[in-house]
Amino acid sequence: MSDTGLPRVTLTTDVLVLGAGGAGMCAALKAKEAGADVLMIDKCGIGYSGQVPIGGGILAYVYPSYVDTWAEKVTRDSHFFNNQDWTWAFGGRMHQTTMDLADLGLKFLRKDGDIEVLTWGPNIHVTLFDAPKSLESLRRTAKARGVRMMDKIFAIDLLKNGDQVVGAVGFGLLDGRIYEFNAKATIVATGNCGYQHEKTYSSVLGEGPAMGYRAGAQLTNAEFNSMYVWGIKQLGKELMGIHFYLYLENARGEKIMGKYYPELMVGEHAVLTFDPRVIHAMYEEVKAGLGPIRLNLNGLTNDEIAGLCEEFVEDLSHIMANDTMLLLREKAGIDPSKETMEMWPRLLYTGGGMWVDPHCRTTLPGLWAAGGACSNLWTNGGGSQAGLGVQSAAVTGFAAGEDAAAYALGVPLVDVDRAYADRAIARVMAPLGRAGDVDAYDVTYRVHEAIVPMKYNRIREAGRMNEALGILDDARQKLARVGAADPHDLARYHSAESMLMVSEFNYTAALMREESRAQHFREDFPQRDDENWLKWITIEQGDGGPKLSTVPIPLQKYRLQPNP
Amino acid sequence: MAIRNFYPENCIGCGNCVAACPMDVLRMDEEENKAYVAYPMDCIACWGCESFCTEGCFDISPERARGELVSPY
């Protein structure tokens, strides 16, 4: 028993993996392959949790012979802001990662027995895999190979001894027990922050960056990667299908995309759900008083509408959640050939995870990060294409698993610092003892009020971002008044807290960066400023709060330098 | 509304829905070996349960149980 009165369970392992989405699953499988004892936990259920099963089943691919050209293009398109060591490592791993995933049980679209590599644009290649069944396939392989797995355990904080990370603490959603994990190596693979504004990726709520920060790890690039997707307001989900943009209209019935991007109205273009041009056009039209934006498919036949939708590939399974027309007709009762539909941009997620080297080591010994929990260092706007999210999870997951296992097999287990653990447990469990007069949802709603509106988070400006930070201050005060009646409530509390922390980092870093670059746009500093801002912004614990610093990009040690 | 209809009589106790729910809305009744709706107010209507249920136990409407979210504009 602990001093909170709740039963405490202590478990030890070589490699502890927090989160069993694409990145965590890859990390666990690779660490096991290397001979380590592996324990993987997840707050949902392993095999179905994370972003991969409900995603589109697209895996970005780069031919081995094309890696140098690809990495150079990513670097130039990122205006030399990327970590080039990572870009080359990422490109160089993509082929083998794809092959490894197939060996581990992932089902790919094949042609004559080989994985089919599709060309989706000039030098843009992808493979397609069975997303809904993907993690369940990998889970079966993990189980057969002896990876230990636990569902419904919500990890909140890392445990330390001195500077060393030696495990994590969490609680059981079902049994209410406190779980203390003592590990030689810990891999955080809990994703970044999706905020639940867009439904598709609702499980990732900032837990990874938040626990990394609290343990003293360095975060970076928090000001980048705020991403909006567009979709039907009533469904609350992104709209798949690359030609729907042609049918977006303003309140006057004018097609909106041609007003801003006439080139998109001529010839064949693939405009994906995360295409910033659509979000931009929607924002400008509504700002000009011409909203709401609607999707008008009236006059099209059912077959024509079906032709606009996501493609259904034979041999791969599909789920209802990704079948837009079925959701419209059967769930929302909308006939898209007769009614128009209001469209909304949705905040998909923000960026800025833990800094990692190409082996996914963080700045803390004993701690690795993979997938969305680590910062997306290999690019800064360059190389954008479909399927990179899953590929990034796989590349970083394999890299982290490999390196963490090699480390764990060569060192003894270091005990948890008892006083540190007791403080962490007391903090994690504190809301359970409080009566509370505010619901965690009210905190989350307040966070949304600060992070979702595009006037704060997409078209950024100092005054408005300070206003958003004021809303977040209020959210933080409200958080102190939230109590928890049971483990489910406790999870809601901690999710709200991590979303709040990640959104604060988003704005403090965005305020510091007085220029515009990639997805970070400042109305008050609209130009890219390479002279002063070829620097990464890092966030670490300082005295009394987060400390932001800049690190000049070490261009002199990279392969490519900007032209003088 | 979010969970518009739930048909526990069809449930075979596979646990897919509990595993897929990102909001911990669903739980398993171990004695009955059936899923049940434990926290309906937290359903955000992502259709994870309905998508992964092989027995048609769920009918999820698009609205979130706690209502619509903040406007992006």
Side-chain angles (χ1 to χ4, degrees), chain A residues 196 199 331 454 486 488, chain B residues 39 42 50 59 62 64 72:
Chain A
Q196 300 165 347
K199 291 176 182 178
K331 297 300 173 186
M454 294 190 287
D486 62 9
H488 174 83
Chain B
Y39 299 96
D42 292 326
E50 189 169 351
D59 169 23
R64 296 168 195 240

Side-chain angles (χ1 to χ4, degrees), chain A residues 197-270:
Chain A
H197 190 250
E198 210 282 340
K199 291 176 182 178
T200 308
Y201 305 133
S202 298
S203 57
V204 291
L205 300 172
E207 298 95 336
M211 75 172 81
Y213 168 80
R214 281 193 297 265
Q218 185 183 82
L219 312 183
T220 191
N221 284 348
E223 70 276 34
F224 293 107
N225 296 330
S226 272
M227 183 180 275
Y228 290 80
V229 293
W230 48 288
I232 295 159
K233 180 183 174 187
Q234 197 176 338
L235 293 184
K237 268 179 71 71
E238 57 189 324
L239 181 62
M240 302 293 181
I242 55 178
H243 296 125
F244 279 119
Y245 74 94
L246 293 165
Y247 300 90
L248 295 174
E249 291 182 358
N250 65 19
R252 289 187 195 149
E254 299 163 335
K255 297 266 185 280
I256 67 166
M257 291 306 291
K259 291 171 76 172
Y260 302 90
Y261 304 99
E263 69 276 13
L264 286 178
M265 309 308 275
V266 185
E268 185 82 354
H269 301 275

Side-chain angles (χ1 to χ4, degrees), chain A residues 53-305:
Chain A
I54 207 162
I58 304 165
L59 186 67
Y61 181 82
V62 168
Y63 284 101
S65 59
Y66 187 67
V67 170
D68 282 341
T69 315
W70 176 85
E72 183 172 340
K73 185 172 184 328
V74 170
T75 301
R76 296 199 184 281
D77 290 349
S78 300
H79 302 285
F80 298 87
F81 195 87
N82 53 322
N83 177 327
Q84 291 184 34
D85 290 343
W86 245 121
T87 312
W88 261 266
F90 190 91
R93 272 181 169 266
M94 276 200 229
H95 170 77
Q96 193 54 48
T97 295
T98 308
M99 298 302 128
D100 285 356
L101 285 169
D103 287 346
L104 289 166
L106 207 68
K107 183 180 173 186
F108 281 91
L109 180 68
R110 289 179 181 266
K111 193 176 182 183
D112 303 329
D114 292 329
I115 294 173
E116 186 170 9
V117 179
L118 303 165
T119 302
W120 275 16
N123 292 312
I124 291 179
H125 304 288
V126 298
T127 61
L128 301 181
F129 66 97
D130 199 324
K133 294 178 181 164
S134 57
L135 293 190
E136 178 54 15
S137 304
L138 296 180
R139 187 193 67 82
R140 279 199 297 271
T141 307
K143 191 177 177 192
R145 293 184 180 185
V147 173
R148 292 190 286 150
M149 293 180 265
M150 295 171 72
D151 286 350
K152 291 279 184 186
I153 308 287
F154 199 139
I156 303 294
D157 266 326
L158 297 164
L159 293 174
K160 291 177 78 177
N161 191 327
D163 283 340
Q164 177 92 13
V165 171
V166 295
V169 64
F171 56 91
L173 283 160
L174 303 182
D175 60 15
R177 291 177 178 171
I178 296 166
Y179 284 86
E180 203 176 287
F181 301 99
N182 188 192
K184 294 178 184 174
T186 302
I187 301 172
V188 177
T190 53
N192 204 290
C193 198
Y195 300 95
Q196 300 165 347
H197 190 250
E198 210 282 340
K199 291 176 182 178
T200 308
Y201 305 133
S202 298
S203 57
V204 291
L205 300 172
E207 298 95 336
M211 75 172 81
Y213 168 80
R214 281 193 297 265
Q218 185 183 82
L219 312 183
T220 191
N221 284 348
E223 70 276 34
F224 293 107
N225 296 330
S226 272
M227 183 180 275
Y228 290 80
V229 293
W230 48 288
I232 295 159
K233 180 183 174 187
Q234 197 176 338
L235 293 184
K237 268 179 71 71
E238 57 189 324
L239 181 62
M240 302 293 181
I242 55 178
H243 296 125
F244 279 119
Y245 74 94
L246 293 165
Y247 300 90
L248 295 174
E249 291 182 358
N250 65 19
R252 289 187 195 149
E254 299 163 335
K255 297 266 185 280
I256 67 166
M257 291 306 291
K259 291 171 76 172
Y260 302 90
Y261 304 99
E263 69 276 13
L264 286 178
M265 309 308 275
V266 185
E268 185 82 354
H269 301 275
V271 177
L272 297 158
T273 179
F274 52 79
D275 195 305
R277 292 172 294 189
V278 180
I279 306 295
H280 171 72
M282 292 173 84
Y283 178 82
E284 290 298 329
E285 288 290 293
V286 171
K287 197 172 139 198
L290 296 170
I293 306 305
R294 303 186 77 85
L295 182 69
N296 185 351
L297 305 174
N298 293 358
L300 298 185
T301 64
N302 286 343
D303 280 352
E304 284 169 334
I305 293 175

